[in-house]
Amino acid sequence: MEILYFVVCLGASILGAISGIGGGVIIKPILDALGTMQVSTISFLSGCTVLGMTTMTLYRNSKAGVRPEKKEEHR
């Protein structure tokens, strides 16, 4: 069953990166439909996966030299 969880999280991360949506939108409904975990556990795992995906994206962008734009102050 753990392999299935891994595949769901990996697939959600890939689809999330391609489409620009958070992987949690995909992970939560699928794992909830399986009915093997409590909702609080699913929420925690979803959050950890999204945090990992976000951290990896920030790391890759910083290595590529991409910097966030600074907002100009309105006076």
Side-chain angles (χ1 to χ4, degrees), residues 27-67:
I27 295 170
K28 279 186 171 185
I30 292 175
L31 292 182
D32 193 32
L34 292 174
T36 58
M37 291 187 217
Q38 295 179 353
V39 174
S40 60
T41 304
I42 293 170
S43 295
F44 176 75
L45 292 175
S46 174
C48 289
T49 303
V50 172
L51 178 64
M53 184 172 58
T54 303
T55 304
M56 188 61 180
T57 299
L58 288 172
Y59 173 75
R60 288 181 59 193
N61 285 345
S62 69
K63 293 288 279 184
V66 177
R67 299 282 179 227

